[in-house]
Amino acid sequence: MDSIHIQGGISLQGKVRIQGSKNAALPILAATLLTVDRSYLKNCPRISDVYAMISLLQRLGCIVVWREDGLQVDSSKVGREAMGGEAVKGMRSSLCLLGALLGRCGEVLLEHPGGCVIGERPIDLHLWALEQMGAVFLEEEGMIHGVAKELRGADIILPKPSVGATENIILAAVMARDDTCIEGAAVEPEITALCRYLQCCGASIDGVGTKRLVIHGGGPLRGAEFIVPTDRIVAGTYLLACVGAGGCILLEAAPAAEMEAVLALASQMGASCLATEEGIYVNASGYPKAVEHLITRPYPGFPTDLQSVALAVLSAAEGDSVIEESIFENRFRVAGELNRMGAKIEQLTAQRVVVHGVKRLRSAEVFAMELRGGAALVTAGLMAQGETMVAGCPYIYRGYENICRDFRELGARIVSV
Ligand code: EPZ
């Protein structure tokens, strides 16, 4: 299943249930290493990043089994020898194993995740913060070797919000000897979900949802049953796709309370959205309005992970829009592929483009180069007249359980081959 074929120009109708959140599930899976028995994660998304994390956990000694509506993880057999090494290679979201393995085993050997298409993705804040807690790191031949004879609590002031660094500090701090205070913590909903899971496991954390977290150490933790929240980025993808293609849809279980910035953008673009207990109803003409200036921001600002999809939709808006990417240094790679579909996207600087809206995109053969850019190309294919082929779909399957199934439930003519 390497490419997706879309017969575009059809408005969307129907309803689709939103999957569990990739960016909540991954740190929570790492956190199961801190428990000495079994956890059950309901609504865990069946995506390739989760499968990759599962295989890492299994190589570290966890027993992992899919049940009918979730994932069972038994971490009772994880021993000191399970510090990573050969196991923890090849996936950047394994970075959250740094804090978890230091917490569980006092040692970790992790392949340096390196950069990716969207940016350099440094980990200096992760290492600096964990060193404040007593960890010592050696970087050798592309590997990071961390040791912490005993993790101690610390007062950590993060100079800028980092989701991953905040997660790693929390994962180490719950096992530390005493209290850790994080000032400047990221406040993305995925951080809250991680803290809620850890609290279900017996951890004591104050200030959840705020930029000041106090984690009372002491571990180890018992397992817990937990429902992974639904994915605000997947829901936002489908919401913006409806703004671009037009239609009337229901996004069942979409976390509207976490999507204010996305809902505000959709309204600026002329769509009407209604959040109810069932989810989010979206009604759009398919002729979106341009927006003067869209800038991505840490939560609760407009999420960087929806910038590419917004770029695709604004490509066929009435008028010109300026989009600024303030989080990652190279997140406009998809503009080239969108321009091959007739978009008129002009790059002003590395982090700012102007989109001259065109009447309609045209179908083409395009190539996904990373996860959210791939979702943007599928969105563009739904908007364009004719048949679009998107190659490189394994990138998309990293974060979307089944984007073709979901869009077919919304009436699109789309298949993966
Ligand atoms: C998480 O990445 C998400 N990934 C990303 O989603 C998301 O785009 C990002 O947060 C921002 O919301 C997961 O949760 C698995 P950061 P993360 O640390 O933790 C800089 C997707 O598509 N920084 O908040 O890596 C960094 O370069 C992915 O699902 C440092 O300088 O993001 C960036 O400019 C893509 N030093 C900014 O901070 C560090 O040590 C925010 O990055 C760490 C980060």
Side-chain angles (χ1 to χ4, degrees), residues 38-74:
R38 194 177 287 182
S39 286
Y40 189 61
L41 306 179
K42 289 186 169 183
N43 199 37
C44 191
R46 295 171 185 259
I47 54 177
S48 57
D49 268 15
V50 164
Y51 299 145
M53 179 63 89
I54 288 170
S55 67
L56 294 180
L57 293 179
Q58 287 170 325
R59 280 186 270 167
L60 292 168
C62 296
I63 300 163
V64 186
V65 178
W66 283 105
R67 290 268 182 265
E68 58 291 344
D69 65 343
L71 195 62
Q72 183 178 290
V73 184
D74 181 340

Side-chain angles (χ1 to χ4, degrees), residues 93-395:
S93 9
S94 60
L95 192 55
C96 51
L97 291 176
L98 261 186
L101 283 171
L102 283 174
R104 177 67 185 255
C105 310
E107 190 167 7
V108 58
L109 186 60
L110 194 65
E111 183 180 39
H112 199 296
C116 71
V117 170
I118 67 174
E120 192 211 328
R121 312 298 293 273
I123 63 169
D124 55 315
L125 295 178
H126 299 245
L127 302 182
W128 166 78
L130 293 170
E131 283 165 351
Q132 310 304 307
M133 301 174 70
V136 175
F137 292 101
L138 263 182
E139 295 187 60
E140 55 209 18
E141 291 155 28
M143 298 296 284
I144 304 167
H145 184 199
V147 177
K149 286 207 175 14
E150 188 186 37
L151 284 167
R152 58 175 184 266
D155 290 333
I156 297 167
I157 301 174
L158 284 173
K160 67 178 179 183
S162 161
V163 172
T166 302
E167 289 166 347
N168 262 323
I169 299 167
I170 293 167
L171 291 167
V174 291
M175 307 300 278
R177 190 182 55 207
D178 35 32
D179 294 356
T180 296
C181 175
I182 310 172
E183 299 277 4
V187 292
E188 272 67 6
E190 293 76 35
I191 304 278
T192 297
L194 174 63
C195 291
R196 294 291 181 230
Y197 166 71
L198 288 167
Q199 288 173 324
C200 291
C201 298
S204 171
I205 304 173
D206 299 325
V208 176
T210 74
K211 293 184 178 179
R212 186 176 188 276
L213 289 174
V214 178
I215 302 108
H216 306 287
L221 303 169
R222 61 180 182 273
E225 181 164 309
F226 187 76
I227 299 174
V228 176
T230 49
D231 194 311
R232 62 191 174 100
I233 304 302
V234 170
T237 302
Y238 300 167
L239 189 156
L240 291 173
C242 184
V243 176
C248 180
I249 64 172
L250 167 61
L251 301 172
E252 282 186 328
E258 299 169 3
M259 297 172 65
E260 279 182 23
V262 185
L263 291 165
L265 176 69
S267 161
Q268 272 182 281
M269 293 161 85
S272 28
C273 299
L274 174 67
T276 71
E277 270 178 13
E278 287 175 282
I280 300 175
Y281 287 90
V282 188
N283 202 328
S285 66
Y287 297 100
K289 295 192 184 89
V291 291
E292 198 177 326
H293 186 196
L294 173 65
I295 183 165
T296 62
R297 292 273 190 219
Y299 191 84
F302 187 81
T304 175
D305 293 346
L306 284 173
Q307 179 260 97
S308 299
V309 174
L311 181 65
V313 176
L314 288 169
S315 295
E318 210 179 316
D320 291 0
S321 309
V322 171
I323 300 183
E324 199 166 332
E325 169 56 56
S326 76
I327 309 286
F328 291 110
E329 58 271 31
N330 191 25
R331 205 164 198 177
F332 288 117
R333 289 288 295 271
V334 71
E337 294 301 287
L338 290 170
N339 284 343
R340 292 181 53 234
M341 296 180 72
K344 289 192 176 7
I345 303 167
E346 196 187 332
Q347 186 127 20
L348 304 175
T349 68
Q351 294 187 270
R352 181 188 280 244
V353 297
V354 58
V355 190
H356 306 289
V358 297
K359 196 106 186 77
R360 181 159 303 270
L361 295 176
R362 60 172 182 269
S363 56
E365 289 199 5
V366 288
F367 296 84
M369 290 172 268
E370 38 84 24
L371 166 56
R372 306 302 177 183
L377 292 172
V378 171
T379 299
L382 293 168
M383 297 162 58
Q385 282 298 8
E387 180 170 348
T388 293
M389 192 278 287
V390 180
C393 300
Y395 289 114

